[in-house]
Amino acid sequence: MNETVHDENVGKWTMVIDLDQCTGCQACVTACSMENNVAFVGEADAAYGRGMHWIRVVREWNGEMPDLTADFRPVMCQQCGEAPCEPVCPVFASTKSVPEQINLQVYNRCIGTRYCGNNCPYIARTFNWFDYERPEPLNFQLNPDVTVRSRGVMEKCTFCVQRIRRGEEDANAEGRPVHDGDVTPACAQACPAQAITFGDITDPESRVAKLARSARAERFLEEVGTEPRVIYLKGNGKVVREG
Amino acid sequence: MTAEAKPMALPHTSEEEDPREHLMHDPLPREKMNNMVMEAMTTAPLEYKIVVGILALLVGVCLFGAWGYMTMTGIGLAGVRRPVFWGFFISTFVFWIGISHAGTFVSAILRVFKAEFRRPFTRAAELMTTFGLAAGAMYPLIHLGRVWVFYFMVPYPNQRGLWPNFRSPLVWDFIAITTYLLGSTMYLFMPLLPDLAMARDHSTGWRKFLYRILSLGWRGSETEWRHLRTAIKIFAWAIIPVMFSVHTIVSWDFAVSTTIGWHSTIFGPFFVAGAIFSGVSAVVMVLFIVRSSMVNMKYFIRPEHFDALGKLVLIFSMGWLYFYFNEYMVEWYGGDATSKEVWHYITQGPLSWLWLLMLVCNIAIPWLTLWNKKIRRTPWAMFIITFLVNVGMYIERYLLIPGELARNRIPFDWGDYAPRIEPIIAVGSISLFLLLYAIMSRVIPLIPVWEVQEGQMAHAMKRVGKAKVPVVTETE
């Protein structure tokens, strides 16, 4: 992996996604939508490109027609160290959360210029075009830990910041540091192939730190200079030799 | 051998041309011109009232009605989607900001360079700046997801200690456009003072009351003139960098982003060239409408003015093409795979007919027609040409914003944009511009009489040998 990330952008919370293990089953998409109160926009709007999913399984086609094979790459907000969405927001709604070292969206500060959405190279942001209804009994599944967004604001993956805070508070209450595995975002929890691993990369013994040392590790669209905090392990034997 | 015996042909005195064709060499007494302008201002035939009524209805329904409905329902009524988060609204915004460059260009730049042909239509162009900005500045609000909290962008002291993000180009925009609007309004007002005083002295009733307030007690003393000339000179020089900065900053909305196709250092001058191109074209359109719909205007606005503006349009067409070519040249040389996809999408994708139409309107039509002096001197032909130029420039902004956003680095997330409510609101904003202009054309003197008179006094024909040569005396 290209070790050009600035020290202050190493961050703490890191996600590693093994593309060899991803089957493209979309369980992460579903789990994320349940956990984070992501709105259902209906068939017509979803077909027009207004689906609100915070994570999506991107298909990457290999080969020429008709001999095509698909690789799957779950893509969500990459929690960039040099996030392109942050400087362009006129009201600081897209901002760095210092304690978690991740990028958060302040919903009640957002005025809906959507500049961040244009500037995100990962197309990770979604916009509340309308107030979407949750007909009964769907309203009962709303997660009380997560804000329900109103129309006119941007939203995106938060690395399940409510679970990070829960993990930290539980560990605090027990008077111990946060152990590896205490915090699991919804997508990682739901992944049947265990392709998604989440943890603290500053702890050299954590699972993510070990996986990040793999020769298969890469960051997505690294050439844009965003210094993302999500690490992908290349699939299909596309291994980069170290050194 | 007969040719040798002729006197050398001077540019302004070829045999078929009468110097009286030029407004500056066809002087009328000041009082006559005053009365002509007053008559133009106070004549409001039934057709004018019908047009104003229709425009007011369109503004009410298409602009405020549709915008209000969208505010109540959600910005989803527009066609924007992921990944095309900006569409028609921002294209129209850039278009109006471009139109607003005409006034300053014609009035300030031509003033400091002492281009004499500018005199009768500086005010008509400055009005376009003010109203173009008024129509354009609404769009950043219209396109907001939550317009009711737009004031978060304003730097005001608040208990949360939050300021706008001064790193964001949108805040630069906000400041630049506000500066330009205030500056250009003052610059519109100052040369208006002597004409408002003239109108005060020639009117009765509510008009007299209005002009007495607006003319700030102007009496035309030598001191007042000296102060006014100094102030105009300072403002003319000061507003020029503001004008260049405004569209440069608008271009930075795009240029500072990481989006493929926008991320380009050429955007500043490219946008300014495009803005002046479309702005000067819009001046021609407005002059044609003013000339054919208001009385006495055929004396003030003449084929020579269309001729001069036509030359400017042709030059800016070339300048615009230079930057447009440059932009693609750099992208092509960069060889980025995504750039190639964007380029392919625009030139050969579903929008390729727009791209070709843009090239025809912006390059082929001006280049094929504006070389011809006869066409440049035919007002209706100039109206059609400049209308097409503006269509082309609108398409350019459309291709630049929703066109280039439709393709990005992740092919999975490509998506085409189709406008929904946007064209209705665009019709509303065009109506707003025309409505404001139509009303103001009957409220303020559209022709700066004192500037025309000053020009006519400075111009004379001088006999040099056997030829008569036009000469200009420096007045300032």
Side-chain angles (χ1 to χ4, degrees), chain A residues 48-50 56-59 86-92 107-115 117-119 121-123 125-127 129-130 151-154 224, chain B residues 71-82 85-86 143-146 148-149 152 163-165 167-168 170 253 257-259 405 408-409 412-413 418 420:
Chain A
Y48 186 58
R50 286 177 175 176
R56 65 205 192 277
V57 179
V58 169
R59 286 186 300 274
E86 284 171 8
V88 299
C89 178
V91 294
F92 290 117
Y107 304 122
N108 48 10
R109 183 72 180 161
C110 178
I111 59 174
T113 66
R114 309 192 290 286
Y115 198 167
N118 284 337
N119 210 21
Y122 305 100
I123 325 288
R125 295 176 153 260
T126 62
F127 191 72
W129 304 105
F130 296 107
R151 79 184 136 94
V153 300
M154 271 284 174
V224 188
Chain B
T71 309
M72 302 301 291
T73 319
I75 201 84
L77 288 180
V80 270
R81 53 166 292 184
R82 185 160 90 163
F85 285 104
W86 287 354
H143 103 121
L144 282 189
R146 300 201 303 159
W148 50 94
V149 288
F152 287 178
W163 285 84
N165 181 5
R167 290 168 73 199
S168 168
L170 298 182
D253 282 354
S257 76
T258 64
T259 311
L405 282 173
N408 51 53
R409 295 179 179 86
F412 182 78
D413 290 294
R420 290 182 181 178

Coordinates of all heavy atoms in Angstrom, one line a residue, chain A residues 48-50 56-59 86-92 107-115 117-119 121-123 125-127 129-130 151-154 224, chain B residues 71-82 85-86 143-146 148-149 152 163-165 167-168 170 253 257-259 405 408-409 412-413 418 420:
Chain A
Y48 N -34.7 6.3 -10.5 CA -34.2 7.5 -11.1 C -32.8 7.9 -10.5 O -32.2 8.8 -10.9 CB -35.2 8.7 -10.9 CG -34.7 9.9 -11.6 CD1 -34.5 9.9 -12.9 CD2 -34.5 11.1 -10.9 CE1 -34.1 11.1 -13.6 CE2 -34.1 12.3 -11.5 CZ -33.9 12.2 -12.8 OH -33.4 13.4 -13.5
G49 N -32.4 7.1 -9.5 CA -31.1 7.4 -8.9 C -31.2 8.3 -7.6 O -30.3 9.1 -7.3
R50 N -32.3 8.0 -6.9 CA -32.4 8.8 -5.6 C -32.4 7.8 -4.4 O -33.0 8.2 -3.4 CB -33.7 9.6 -5.7 CG -33.5 10.8 -6.6 CD -34.8 11.6 -6.7 NE -34.6 12.8 -7.4 CZ -35.5 13.7 -7.7 NH1 -36.7 13.4 -7.4 NH2 -35.2 14.8 -8.4
R56 N -23.3 0.9 -0.8 CA -23.8 0.3 -2.0 C -22.7 -0.7 -2.5 O -21.5 -0.4 -2.3 CB -24.2 1.3 -3.0 CG -23.0 2.0 -3.6 CD -23.5 3.4 -4.1 NE -22.4 4.0 -4.9 CZ -21.4 4.6 -4.3 NH1 -21.3 4.8 -3.0 NH2 -20.4 5.1 -5.1
V57 N -23.1 -1.7 -3.1 CA -22.2 -2.7 -3.6 C -21.9 -2.4 -5.1 O -22.8 -2.6 -6.0 CB -22.7 -4.2 -3.5 CG1 -21.7 -5.1 -4.0 CG2 -23.0 -4.4 -2.0
V58 N -20.8 -1.8 -5.4 CA -20.4 -1.4 -6.7 C -20.0 -2.6 -7.5 O -19.1 -3.4 -7.0 CB -19.3 -0.3 -6.6 CG1 -18.8 0.0 -8.0 CG2 -19.9 1.0 -6.0
R59 N -20.5 -2.7 -8.7 CA -20.0 -3.8 -9.6 C -18.9 -3.3 -10.5 O -19.0 -2.2 -11.0 CB -21.2 -4.3 -10.5 CG -22.2 -5.2 -9.8 CD -23.2 -5.7 -10.8 NE -23.9 -4.7 -11.5 CZ -25.0 -4.1 -11.0 NH1 -25.5 -4.5 -9.9 NH2 -25.6 -3.1 -11.6
E86 N -15.5 18.6 2.9 CA -15.4 19.6 4.1 C -15.1 21.0 3.6 O -15.9 21.9 4.1 CB -14.3 19.1 5.1 CG -14.8 17.9 5.9 CD -13.7 17.4 6.7 OE1 -12.6 17.9 6.8 OE2 -13.9 16.3 7.3
P87 N -14.1 21.3 2.8 CA -13.8 22.7 2.6 C -14.9 23.4 1.8 O -15.1 24.6 1.8 CB -12.5 22.7 1.8 CG -12.4 21.3 1.3 CD -13.1 20.4 2.2
V88 N -15.7 22.6 1.0 CA -16.7 23.3 0.1 C -18.0 23.6 0.8 O -18.8 24.4 0.3 CB -17.0 22.4 -1.2 CG1 -15.7 22.2 -2.0 CG2 -17.6 21.1 -0.8
C89 N -18.2 23.1 2.0 CA -19.5 23.3 2.6 C -19.5 24.8 3.2 O -18.6 25.1 4.0 CB -19.8 22.4 3.8 SG -21.3 22.8 4.6
P90 N -20.4 25.6 2.8 CA -20.3 27.0 3.3 C -20.7 27.2 4.8 O -20.4 28.2 5.3 CB -21.4 27.7 2.4 CG -22.3 26.7 2.0 CD -21.5 25.4 1.9
V91 N -21.3 26.2 5.4 CA -21.8 26.3 6.7 C -21.2 25.3 7.7 O -21.7 25.2 8.8 CB -23.3 26.3 6.8 CG1 -23.9 27.5 6.1 CG2 -23.8 25.0 6.2
F92 N -20.1 24.7 7.4 CA -19.5 23.7 8.2 C -20.4 22.5 8.6 O -20.3 21.9 9.7 CB -19.0 24.3 9.5 CG -17.8 25.2 9.4 CD1 -17.9 26.5 9.7 CD2 -16.6 24.7 8.9 CE1 -16.8 27.4 9.6 CE2 -15.5 25.6 8.8 CZ -15.6 26.9 9.2
Y107 N -26.7 17.5 10.5 CA -27.9 17.6 9.7 C -28.6 18.9 10.0 O -29.1 19.6 9.0 CB -28.9 16.5 10.1 CG -28.3 15.1 9.9 CD1 -28.2 14.2 11.0 CD2 -27.8 14.7 8.7 CE1 -27.7 13.0 10.8 CE2 -27.2 13.5 8.5 CZ -27.2 12.6 9.6 OH -26.6 11.4 9.5
N108 N -28.7 19.4 11.2 CA -29.5 20.6 11.4 C -28.6 21.9 11.1 O -29.1 23.0 11.2 CB -30.0 20.7 12.8 CG -29.0 20.4 13.9 OD1 -27.8 20.3 13.6 ND2 -29.4 20.3 15.1
R109 N -27.4 21.7 10.6 CA -26.6 22.8 10.1 C -26.7 22.9 8.6 O -26.5 23.9 8.0 CB -25.2 22.7 10.6 CG -24.3 23.9 10.2 CD -24.5 25.1 11.0 NE -23.6 26.2 10.6 CZ -23.9 27.5 10.8 NH1 -24.9 27.9 11.5 NH2 -23.0 28.4 10.4
C110 N -27.0 21.8 8.0 CA -27.0 21.6 6.5 C -28.1 22.5 5.9 O -29.2 22.5 6.3 CB -27.2 20.2 6.1 SG -27.2 19.9 4.4
I111 N -27.7 23.3 4.9 CA -28.7 24.1 4.2 C -29.0 23.5 2.8 O -29.9 24.0 2.1 CB -28.3 25.6 4.1 CG1 -27.0 25.7 3.3 CG2 -28.2 26.2 5.4 CD1 -26.6 27.1 3.0
G112 N -28.3 22.4 2.4 CA -28.7 21.7 1.2 C -28.1 22.4 -0.1 O -28.8 22.4 -1.1
T113 N -26.9 22.8 0.0 CA -26.3 23.3 -1.3 C -25.9 22.2 -2.2 O -25.7 22.3 -3.4 CB -25.0 24.2 -1.1 OG1 -24.0 23.3 -0.5 CG2 -25.3 25.3 -0.1
R114 N -25.7 21.0 -1.6 CA -25.3 19.7 -2.3 C -23.9 19.8 -3.0 O -23.6 19.0 -3.8 CB -26.4 19.4 -3.3 CG -27.7 19.3 -2.8 CD -28.7 18.7 -3.7 NE -29.0 19.5 -4.9 CZ -29.7 20.6 -4.9 NH1 -30.3 21.0 -3.8 NH2 -29.9 21.2 -6.0
Y115 N -23.1 20.8 -2.6 CA -21.8 21.0 -3.2 C -20.9 19.8 -2.8 O -20.2 19.2 -3.5 CB -21.2 22.3 -2.7 CG -20.0 22.8 -3.5 CD1 -19.5 24.0 -3.3 CD2 -19.4 22.0 -4.4 CE1 -18.5 24.5 -4.0 CE2 -18.3 22.4 -5.2 CZ -17.8 23.7 -4.9 OH -16.8 24.2 -5.6
G117 N -21.9 16.8 -2.3 CA -22.2 15.6 -3.1 C -21.5 15.6 -4.4 O -21.0 14.6 -4.9
N118 N -21.4 16.8 -5.0 CA -20.7 16.9 -6.3 C -19.2 16.7 -6.1 O -18.6 16.1 -7.0 CB -20.8 18.3 -6.8 CG -22.2 18.6 -7.5 OD1 -22.9 17.7 -7.8 ND2 -22.6 19.8 -7.5
N119 N -18.7 17.1 -5.0 CA -17.2 17.0 -4.8 C -16.7 15.7 -4.3 O -15.5 15.5 -4.1 CB -16.8 18.2 -3.9 CG -15.4 18.7 -4.2 OD1 -14.9 18.5 -5.3 ND2 -14.8 19.3 -3.3
P121 N -15.5 12.2 -4.6 CA -15.1 11.3 -5.7 C -15.7 9.9 -5.5 O -15.8 9.1 -6.5 CB -13.6 11.2 -5.6 CG -13.2 11.8 -4.3 CD -14.4 12.6 -3.7
Y122 N -16.2 9.6 -4.3 CA -16.8 8.2 -4.1 C -18.3 8.2 -4.2 O -18.9 7.2 -4.0 CB -16.4 7.8 -2.7 CG -14.9 7.8 -2.4 CD1 -14.4 8.8 -1.7 CD2 -14.1 6.8 -2.9 CE1 -13.0 8.9 -1.5 CE2 -12.8 6.8 -2.8 CZ -12.2 7.9 -2.1 OH -10.8 7.9 -1.9
I123 N -18.9 9.4 -4.6 CA -20.4 9.5 -4.7 C -21.0 8.8 -3.5 O -22.0 8.1 -3.6 CB -20.9 8.8 -6.0 CG1 -19.9 9.0 -7.2 CG2 -22.2 9.4 -6.5 CD1 -19.7 10.3 -7.8
R125 N -22.4 10.4 -0.9 CA -23.4 11.2 -0.2 C -24.8 11.0 -0.8 O -24.9 11.0 -2.1 CB -23.0 12.6 -0.2 CG -21.7 12.8 0.6 CD -21.2 14.2 0.6 NE -20.4 14.3 1.8 CZ -20.9 14.9 2.9 NH1 -22.1 15.5 2.9 NH2 -20.1 15.0 4.0
T126 N -25.8 11.1 0.0 CA -27.2 11.0 -0.5 C -27.9 12.2 0.0 O -27.6 12.7 1.1 CB -27.9 9.7 -0.1 OG1 -28.0 9.7 1.3 CG2 -27.1 8.5 -0.7
F127 N -28.9 12.6 -0.7 CA -29.7 13.8 -0.3 C -31.1 13.5 -0.1 O -31.7 12.6 -0.8 CB -29.6 14.8 -1.5 CG -30.0 16.2 -1.1 CD1 -29.3 17.0 -0.3 CD2 -31.2 16.7 -1.7 CE1 -29.8 18.3 0.1 CE2 -31.7 17.9 -1.3 CZ -30.9 18.7 -0.5
W129 N -34.4 14.3 -0.9 CA -35.1 15.1 -1.9 C -36.5 15.5 -1.4 O -37.0 16.6 -1.7 CB -35.2 14.4 -3.2 CG -33.9 14.0 -3.7 CD1 -33.3 12.7 -3.7 CD2 -32.8 14.8 -4.3 NE1 -32.1 12.7 -4.2 CE2 -31.7 14.0 -4.6 CE3 -32.8 16.2 -4.6 CZ2 -30.6 14.5 -5.2 CZ3 -31.6 16.7 -5.1 CH2 -30.5 15.8 -5.4
F130 N -37.1 14.6 -0.6 CA -38.4 14.9 0.0 C -38.4 14.4 1.4 O -37.4 13.8 1.9 CB -39.5 14.1 -0.8 CG -39.7 14.4 -2.2 CD1 -39.2 13.6 -3.2 CD2 -40.3 15.6 -2.6 CE1 -39.4 13.9 -4.6 CE2 -40.5 15.9 -3.9 CZ -40.0 15.1 -4.9
R151 N -36.3 16.6 5.0 CA -35.9 16.9 3.6 C -35.0 18.1 3.5 O -35.0 19.0 4.4 CB -37.2 17.2 2.8 CG -37.8 18.6 3.0 CD -39.1 18.7 2.2 NE -40.0 19.4 3.0 CZ -40.3 20.7 2.9 NH1 -39.6 21.4 2.1 NH2 -41.2 21.3 3.7
G152 N -34.2 18.0 2.5 CA -33.3 19.2 2.2 C -31.9 19.1 2.8 O -31.2 20.0 2.8
V153 N -31.6 17.9 3.4 CA -30.2 17.8 4.0 C -29.5 16.6 3.4 O -30.1 15.7 2.9 CB -30.2 17.7 5.5 CG1 -30.9 18.9 6.2 CG2 -30.9 16.4 6.0
M154 N -28.2 16.7 3.4 CA -27.3 15.7 3.0 C -27.1 14.7 4.1 O -27.2 15.0 5.3 CB -25.9 16.2 2.6 CG -25.8 16.7 1.2 SD -25.6 15.3 0.2 CE -25.7 16.1 -1.4
V224 N -6.7 10.6 -6.0 CA -7.3 11.9 -5.8 C -6.7 12.6 -4.6 O -6.9 13.8 -4.5 CB -8.8 11.7 -5.7 CG1 -9.6 13.0 -5.7 CG2 -9.4 10.8 -6.8
Chain B
T71 N -40.6 24.6 -2.4 CA -40.1 24.8 -1.1 C -41.0 24.0 -0.1 O -40.5 23.4 0.8 CB -40.1 26.3 -0.7 OG1 -39.5 27.0 -1.7 CG2 -39.5 26.5 0.6
M72 N -42.3 24.0 -0.4 CA -43.2 23.2 0.5 C -43.0 21.7 0.3 O -43.3 21.0 1.3 CB -44.7 23.6 0.2 CG -45.0 25.1 0.3 SD -44.7 25.7 2.0 CE -45.9 24.9 2.9
T73 N -42.7 21.3 -0.9 CA -42.7 19.9 -1.2 C -41.3 19.2 -1.0 O -41.2 18.2 -0.4 CB -43.2 19.6 -2.6 OG1 -44.3 20.5 -2.9 CG2 -43.6 18.2 -2.8
G74 N -40.3 19.9 -1.6 CA -39.0 19.3 -1.5 C -38.3 19.6 -2.9 O -38.9 19.6 -3.9
I75 N -37.0 19.7 -2.8 CA -36.2 20.0 -4.0 C -36.3 18.8 -5.0 O -35.8 19.0 -6.1 CB -34.7 20.3 -3.6 CG1 -34.0 21.1 -4.6 CG2 -34.0 19.1 -3.2 CD1 -34.3 22.6 -4.5
G76 N -36.8 17.7 -4.5 CA -37.0 16.5 -5.4 C -37.9 16.8 -6.6 O -37.8 16.1 -7.6
L77 N -38.6 17.9 -6.6 CA -39.4 18.3 -7.7 C -38.6 18.6 -8.9 O -39.0 18.6 -10.1 CB -40.4 19.4 -7.4 CG -41.5 19.2 -6.5 CD1 -42.3 20.4 -6.3 CD2 -42.4 18.1 -7.1
A78 N -37.3 19.0 -8.6 CA -36.4 19.3 -9.7 C -35.8 17.9 -10.1 O -36.0 16.9 -9.5 CB -35.3 20.2 -9.2
G79 N -35.1 17.9 -11.2 CA -34.6 16.6 -11.8 C -33.3 16.2 -11.2 O -32.8 15.2 -11.7
V80 N -32.8 16.9 -10.3 CA -31.5 16.5 -9.7 C -31.5 15.2 -9.0 O -32.5 14.8 -8.4 CB -30.9 17.6 -8.8 CG1 -30.1 18.6 -9.6 CG2 -32.0 18.3 -8.0
R81 N -30.4 14.5 -9.1 CA -30.3 13.1 -8.6 C -28.9 12.8 -8.2 O -28.0 13.7 -8.5 CB -30.8 12.2 -9.6 CG -30.1 12.4 -10.9 CD -30.3 11.3 -11.9 NE -29.6 10.1 -11.4 CZ -29.5 8.9 -12.1 NH1 -30.1 8.8 -13.2 NH2 -28.9 7.9 -11.6
R82 N -28.6 11.7 -7.6 CA -27.2 11.3 -7.5 C -26.8 10.7 -8.8 O -27.5 9.9 -9.3 CB -27.2 10.3 -6.3 CG -25.8 9.9 -6.0 CD -25.7 9.3 -4.6 NE -25.9 7.8 -4.7 CZ -25.6 7.0 -3.7 NH1 -25.1 7.5 -2.5 NH2 -25.8 5.7 -3.8
F85 N -25.9 16.4 -8.7 CA -26.5 17.2 -7.6 C -26.8 18.6 -8.0 O -27.6 19.2 -7.3 CB -25.6 17.1 -6.4 CG -25.6 15.8 -5.6 CD1 -24.6 15.0 -5.7 CD2 -26.7 15.5 -4.8 CE1 -24.6 13.8 -5.1 CE2 -26.7 14.3 -4.2 CZ -25.6 13.4 -4.3
W86 N -26.2 19.1 -9.0 CA -26.5 20.4 -9.5 C -27.0 20.3 -11.0 O -26.4 19.5 -11.7 CB -25.3 21.3 -9.6 CG -24.8 21.8 -8.2 CD1 -25.5 21.6 -7.0 CD2 -23.7 22.5 -7.9 NE1 -24.8 22.1 -6.0 CE2 -23.6 22.7 -6.5 CE3 -22.6 23.0 -8.7 CZ2 -22.6 23.4 -5.9 CZ3 -21.6 23.7 -8.0 CH2 -21.6 23.9 -6.7
H143 N -32.1 26.8 -5.4 CA -31.6 25.5 -5.4 C -31.3 24.9 -4.1 O -31.0 23.7 -4.0 CB -30.5 25.3 -6.4 CG -29.1 25.2 -5.8 ND1 -28.3 24.1 -6.0 CD2 -28.5 26.0 -4.9 CE1 -27.2 24.3 -5.3 NE2 -27.3 25.4 -4.6
L144 N -31.4 25.7 -3.0 CA -31.1 25.2 -1.7 C -32.1 24.1 -1.2 O -33.3 24.2 -1.5 CB -31.1 26.3 -0.6 CG -29.9 27.2 -0.6 CD1 -30.0 28.1 0.6 CD2 -28.6 26.4 -0.5
G145 N -31.6 23.1 -0.5 CA -32.5 22.1 0.0 C -33.4 22.7 1.1 O -34.5 22.4 1.3
R146 N -32.8 23.6 2.0 CA -33.5 24.2 3.0 C -33.3 25.7 3.0 O -32.5 26.3 3.7 CB -33.0 23.7 4.4 CG -33.2 22.2 4.5 CD -33.2 21.8 6.0 NE -32.0 22.2 6.7 CZ -32.0 22.3 8.0 NH1 -33.0 22.0 8.7 NH2 -30.9 22.7 8.6
W148 N -35.1 28.1 3.9 CA -35.5 28.9 5.1 C -34.3 29.1 6.1 O -34.5 29.9 7.0 CB -36.7 28.2 5.8 CG -36.5 26.8 6.1 CD1 -36.1 26.2 7.2 CD2 -36.8 25.7 5.2 NE1 -36.1 24.8 7.1 CE2 -36.5 24.5 5.9 CE3 -37.3 25.6 3.9 CZ2 -36.7 23.2 5.3 CZ3 -37.5 24.4 3.3 CH2 -37.2 23.2 4.0
V149 N -33.2 28.4 5.9 CA -32.1 28.7 6.8 C -30.9 29.2 6.0 O -29.7 29.0 6.4 CB -31.7 27.4 7.6 CG1 -32.7 27.2 8.7 CG2 -31.5 26.2 6.8
F152 N -27.6 31.0 7.3 CA -26.4 30.4 7.9 C -25.2 30.7 7.1 O -24.1 30.6 7.6 CB -26.6 28.8 7.9 CG -27.5 28.3 8.9 CD1 -27.8 26.9 9.0 CD2 -28.2 29.1 9.8 CE1 -28.7 26.4 9.9 CE2 -29.1 28.6 10.8 CZ -29.3 27.2 10.8
W163 N -19.4 30.7 12.3 CA -19.2 31.6 11.2 C -19.4 30.8 9.9 O -19.2 29.6 10.0 CB -17.9 32.3 11.2 CG -17.8 33.4 12.2 CD1 -17.6 33.3 13.5 CD2 -18.1 34.8 11.9 NE1 -17.7 34.5 14.1 CE2 -18.0 35.4 13.2 CE3 -18.4 35.5 10.8 CZ2 -18.2 36.8 13.3 CZ3 -18.6 36.9 11.0 CH2 -18.5 37.5 12.2
P164 N -19.6 31.4 8.8 CA -19.6 30.6 7.6 C -18.2 30.1 7.3 O -17.2 30.6 7.9 CB -20.1 31.6 6.5 CG -20.1 32.9 7.1 CD -20.0 32.8 8.5
N165 N -18.1 29.1 6.5 CA -16.8 28.5 6.2 C -16.1 29.3 5.1 O -16.5 29.2 3.9 CB -17.0 27.0 5.7 CG -15.7 26.3 5.4 OD1 -14.6 26.9 5.6 ND2 -15.8 25.1 4.9
R167 N -13.5 28.9 3.6 CA -12.8 28.1 2.6 C -13.7 27.7 1.5 O -13.3 27.2 0.5 CB -12.2 26.9 3.3 CG -11.0 27.2 4.2 CD -10.7 25.9 5.0 NE -10.1 24.9 4.2 CZ -10.0 23.6 4.6 NH1 -10.6 23.2 5.7 NH2 -9.4 22.8 3.8
S168 N -15.0 27.9 1.7 CA -15.9 27.4 0.7 C -16.2 28.4 -0.4 O -16.5 29.6 -0.2 CB -17.3 27.1 1.4 OG -18.3 26.9 0.4
L170 N -18.6 28.8 -2.1 CA -20.0 29.3 -2.1 C -20.0 30.6 -1.3 O -20.8 31.5 -1.5 CB -21.0 28.3 -1.6 CG -21.1 27.0 -2.4 CD1 -22.1 26.1 -1.8 CD2 -21.5 27.4 -3.8
D253 N -16.3 28.0 -8.1 CA -17.2 27.0 -7.6 C -17.0 25.6 -8.3 O -17.2 24.6 -7.6 CB -18.7 27.4 -8.0 CG -19.2 28.4 -7.2 OD1 -18.6 28.8 -6.2 OD2 -20.4 28.9 -7.5
S257 N -13.1 22.2 -7.2 CA -13.6 20.9 -6.8 C -12.8 19.8 -7.4 O -11.9 20.0 -8.2 CB -15.1 20.7 -7.3 OG -15.0 20.4 -8.7
T258 N -13.0 18.6 -6.9 CA -12.2 17.4 -7.5 C -12.9 16.8 -8.6 O -12.5 15.8 -9.2 CB -12.0 16.4 -6.4 OG1 -13.3 15.8 -6.0 CG2 -11.3 16.9 -5.2
T259 N -14.1 17.3 -9.0 CA -14.9 16.7 -10.0 C -14.2 16.7 -11.4 O -13.7 17.8 -11.8 CB -16.2 17.4 -10.1 OG1 -16.8 17.6 -8.8 CG2 -17.2 16.7 -11.0
L405 N -21.3 16.3 -14.7 CA -21.5 15.5 -13.5 C -22.0 14.1 -13.7 O -21.9 13.2 -12.9 CB -22.5 16.3 -12.6 CG -22.0 17.5 -11.8 CD1 -23.1 18.1 -11.1 CD2 -20.9 17.0 -10.8
N408 N -18.5 10.0 -13.9 CA -17.5 10.2 -12.8 C -16.6 9.0 -12.8 O -16.5 8.2 -13.7 CB -18.2 10.4 -11.5 CG -19.2 9.3 -11.2 OD1 -18.9 8.2 -11.3 ND2 -20.5 9.7 -11.0
R409 N -15.8 9.0 -11.7 CA -14.7 7.9 -11.6 C -15.3 6.5 -11.4 O -14.5 5.6 -11.5 CB -13.8 8.3 -10.5 CG -13.0 9.6 -10.7 CD -12.1 9.9 -9.6 NE -11.3 11.1 -9.8 CZ -11.8 12.3 -9.4 NH1 -13.0 12.5 -8.9 NH2 -11.0 13.4 -9.6
F412 N -20.2 2.6 -12.0 CA -21.5 2.1 -11.4 C -22.4 3.2 -11.1 O -23.6 3.1 -11.0 CB -21.1 1.3 -10.1 CG -22.3 0.7 -9.4 CD1 -22.9 -0.4 -9.8 CD2 -22.8 1.3 -8.2 CE1 -23.9 -1.0 -9.1 CE2 -23.9 0.8 -7.6 CZ -24.4 -0.4 -8.0
D413 N -21.9 4.4 -10.8 CA -22.7 5.5 -10.3 C -22.9 6.6 -11.4 O -23.3 7.7 -11.1 CB -22.0 6.2 -9.1 CG -22.1 5.3 -7.9 OD1 -23.1 5.1 -7.4 OD2 -21.0 4.8 -7.5
A418 N -32.3 14.6 -16.1 CA -33.4 15.2 -16.9 C -34.1 16.3 -16.1 O -34.5 16.0 -15.0 CB -34.3 14.2 -17.4
R420 N -36.9 18.7 -14.5 CA -38.4 18.5 -14.3 C -39.0 19.9 -14.1 O -39.5 20.4 -15.1 CB -38.6 17.6 -13.1 CG -38.1 16.2 -13.4 CD -38.4 15.2 -12.2 NE -37.9 13.9 -12.6 CZ -38.0 12.8 -11.8 NH1 -38.5 12.9 -10.6 NH2 -37.6 11.6 -12.2

